[in-house]
Amino acid sequence: MTEESTQTEAEALPNRAIPFSEAFREFIPTAWAPYPTELPSQLAAAGPAALRRRALAEAHPGERLVIPAGGFKVRANDTDYRFRPHSAFAWLTGLGTDREPDSVLVLEPTDTGHEATLYFKPRAPRTDPEFYADSRYGEMWVGTRESLAEMTALTGISCAPVSELDAALAKNVAATTVRLLAEADEVVSRRIGELRAEAGVDLTAAAEGDAAFLVALSEARLIKDDYELGQLRQACTDTAVGFEAVVADLPEAVRRGRGERWVEGVFGLHARHQANAIGYDTIAASGDHANTLHWIRNDGDVRPDDLLLMDAGVEVESLYTADITRTLPVSGTFSPAQRKVYEAVLAAQEAGIAAAKPGNRFSDVHKAAVAVIAEHLEAWGLLPVTAAESLDPERGGHHRRWMVHGTSHHLGLDVHDCAQARQENYRDAELRPGMVITVEPGLYFKATDLLVPEELRGIGVRIEDDIAITADGNEILSSALPREAEAVEAWMAAVRER
């Protein structure tokens, strides 16, 4: 067994596995084609990731920065969920898709800055029991893993086997400030806690430092670079393809029953085929289900006279995700009542998008959108007070009965990106070029709401687009999908005629 493999055959075997004979162990490593000698090309994300590591290191001089990818999470028994690395790890390494479980990026302080090392589990030789007996890492089970040289070529980062991580973490702990992304990996966090305790480090201060590091990593992602903006554009393009596929198959969703599941499945198929996955659980809410904001059960019928509220996003290989909502008339044509609500929400969204520009605050987008919502509710006679009174933050809020959520959130590697950022750098912050946010007002009239005219009950509408702040305004990244009622109807008709 090589030094790079830390698992014995006995450890690799599950409790009820059939043991391997000596004859098998001699036979299994023979007559395999050699591994390729040509190194892979560097990932497109590697260059931008290097610049991000440099900026992070400059903000933490003299400190050891530890950013784990995280490990597998058990779904049931010996079945794991599909692995996704922590977003901060992906942002700093350029690794996407399902790379790289149990790996850890360490930025070690030096006299001239920081030296980055990626500790990961490289593939074992075919003579190692891991090759055939390890269902988590073995090549027979999960495919061929990279060698140290191959991972270095992919990421541009010096790589070492994860078996050497403990020594790197234990080095000069008493004299070195360590910043850990603690939420990413419980095992790594526990080990660093042990090392700190052994070295007499103030554990309260260390925990406070780790918490501040989590915030710093979140806030560092508020401004997207050109690579990130390109990935988000691609995610929106791929998402538009998925929406179009759903529209084309709506008659089948109606015919089969439990059509919400059909809609979810069609979109998920295209997300997996075009890119990496869905960026979050798809909301496929037909009829009154649209008035449940996070409806992901998706077990209802899709009826011809319904509106279908579909909130979905494709996550591309680099893990950047779109987040788009369209509310579609299943029949292809809005009824007068549906159109009335739809156009009110669209007017609110237009106001929000207009406010999404540099110099305005993040909260201004919500204020602009919700002011339009309140005006329509007043005009329809639904508010018990005036729109102005409802918008009063101290004495109002009546409009929130029909739009309880906020209008915007940041978007990027996470669908709710930069969520650990401080209030002053998020909700109260000034919008700056490179920020990407959603604009998603809605109106939700539950079927059981007796304050609402009967013709509007059961109608739920949300329209959501992904907006990049530019130097002179904004770019609607999701503009491939129409928003105006007439344009939506024309698009749906054209899709169905193909």
Side-chain angles (χ1 to χ4, degrees):
M1 183 180 294
T2 67
E3 291 183 356
E4 292 179 3
S5 177
T6 60
Q7 192 170 42
T8 67
E9 182 176 317
E11 291 170 332
L13 284 169
N15 290 336
R16 293 181 297 278
I18 300 171
F20 298 107
S21 68
E22 184 61 34
F24 174 85
R25 287 194 293 269
E26 292 177 0
F27 174 69
I28 189 64
T30 63
W32 297 97
Y35 293 112
T37 56
E38 184 176 346
L39 294 176
S41 300
Q42 191 173 86
L43 296 168
L51 297 177
R52 298 169 200 151
R53 291 194 300 275
R54 183 185 305 168
L56 182 69
E58 289 173 352
H60 295 83
E63 297 179 348
R64 177 179 300 145
L65 310 179
V66 182
I67 304 97
F72 288 101
K73 292 181 174 60
V74 175
R75 186 179 189 276
N77 298 322
D78 59 349
T79 303
D80 297 320
Y81 286 103
R82 188 184 302 275
F83 178 74
R84 185 190 189 278
H86 192 285
S87 294
F89 176 88
W91 187 69
L92 289 166
T93 63
L95 291 169
T97 59
D98 58 352
R99 290 171 166 159
E100 181 64 41
D102 298 327
S103 58
V104 181
L105 174 68
V106 177
L107 303 183
E108 182 68 21
T110 67
D111 293 338
T112 58
H114 282 74
E115 180 179 303
T117 303
L118 177 61
Y119 294 88
F120 86 108
K121 190 172 180 63
R123 66 169 174 262
R126 291 169 178 142
T127 53
D128 194 299
E130 178 184 298
F131 172 68
Y132 54 85
D134 190 330
S135 61
R136 180 162 283 189
Y137 300 108
E139 186 173 332
M140 282 285 195
W141 297 82
V142 298
T144 306
R145 298 170 58 78
E146 282 80 19
S147 67
L148 293 172
E150 288 166 346
M151 185 61 79
T152 295
L154 282 170
T155 62
I157 304 173
S158 176
C159 292
V162 74
S163 57
E164 297 178 7
L165 174 64
D166 195 73
L169 297 179
K171 180 182 175 183
N172 298 328
V173 174
T176 305
T177 299
V178 177
R179 300 293 183 212
L180 167 67
L181 180 59
E183 70 173 19
D185 192 305
E186 182 180 344
V187 174
V188 174
S189 296
R190 184 167 57 248
R191 180 57 182 148
I192 287 182
E194 293 169 351
L195 292 169
R196 284 168 167 168
E198 292 168 4
V201 173
D202 184 331
L203 297 183
T204 300
E208 291 173 351
D210 291 346
F213 187 49
L214 173 64
V215 171
L217 284 168
S218 194
E219 293 182 348
R221 304 200 331 254
L222 284 164
I223 304 293
K224 271 57 182 179
D225 57 35
D226 288 344
Y227 172 80
E228 292 177 288
L229 291 172
Q231 292 298 292
L232 287 166
R233 290 188 190 98
Q234 185 62 54
C236 287
T237 297
D238 292 344
T239 300
V241 173
F243 269 81
E244 187 168 290
V246 166
V247 169
D249 227 28
L250 274 179
E252 198 69 4
V254 172
R255 184 183 74 82
R256 286 179 174 268
R258 291 232 300 181
E260 291 176 346
R261 290 281 169 95
W262 192 263
V263 167
E264 177 187 344
V266 168
F267 186 82
L269 166 67
H270 283 75
R272 284 291 286 164
H273 184 252
Q274 295 181 105
N276 186 53
I278 52 174
Y280 53 96
D281 284 335
T282 296
I283 296 171
S286 187
D288 193 43
H289 287 166
N291 297 309
T292 300
L293 299 181
H294 289 169
W295 178 259
I296 58 173
R297 188 179 299 160
N298 298 342
D299 61 354
D301 293 336
V302 174
R303 293 172 291 271
D305 294 335
D306 281 351
L307 290 177
L308 173 69
L309 189 158
M310 183 174 164
D311 187 334
V314 169
E315 177 188 80
V316 294
E317 303 274 343
S318 60
L319 303 182
Y320 290 86
T321 185
D323 180 7
I324 303 173
T325 305
R326 289 294 182 267
T327 305
L328 309 171
V330 176
S331 67
T333 304
F334 291 98
S335 72
Q338 291 169 347
R339 183 182 291 267
K340 175 180 178 177
V341 178
Y342 187 92
E343 290 185 340
V345 173
L346 179 62
Q349 193 201 31
E350 293 284 11
I353 291 173
K357 60 184 180 181
N360 278 356
R361 295 195 178 278
F362 176 88
S363 56
D364 290 336
V365 177
H366 177 72
K367 290 177 182 177
V370 81
V372 176
I373 291 292
E375 289 166 4
H376 279 82
L377 292 172
E378 180 185 27
W380 297 342
L382 297 182
L383 289 177
V385 296
T386 66
E389 289 171 324
S390 183
L391 292 167
D392 186 302
E394 299 296 329
R395 295 177 295 127
H398 303 76
H399 59 277
R400 297 185 67 180
R401 177 178 178 125
W402 299 288
M403 183 185 156
V404 69
H405 61 80
T407 303
S408 299
H409 56 78
H410 281 264
L411 182 71
L413 282 165
D414 296 332
V415 67
H416 288 179
D417 209 28
C418 312
Q420 286 76 35
R422 290 164 291 182
Q423 174 90 353
E424 62 268 28
N425 291 326
Y426 198 126
R427 188 170 302 279
D428 296 337
E430 186 175 294
L431 294 173
R432 291 179 287 164
M435 288 182 171
V436 178
I437 64 172
T438 63
V439 179
E440 51 176 313
L443 277 170
Y444 310 94
F445 298 126
K446 287 184 173 292
T448 53
D449 191 340
L450 301 183
L451 291 183
V452 175
E454 189 170 351
E455 66 170 0
L456 300 184
R457 293 177 195 167
I459 293 177
V461 174
R462 181 165 66 252
I463 310 171
E464 177 182 18
D465 283 275
D466 302 340
I467 311 296
I469 307 302
T470 63
D472 57 358
N474 63 58
E475 175 189 352
I476 303 176
L477 302 179
S478 47
S479 60
L481 287 170
R483 293 182 294 128
E484 293 76 13
E486 294 83 359
V488 169
E489 292 173 340
W491 169 65
M492 293 181 70
V495 169
R496 289 175 174 179
E497 287 173 3
R498 292 176 191 167

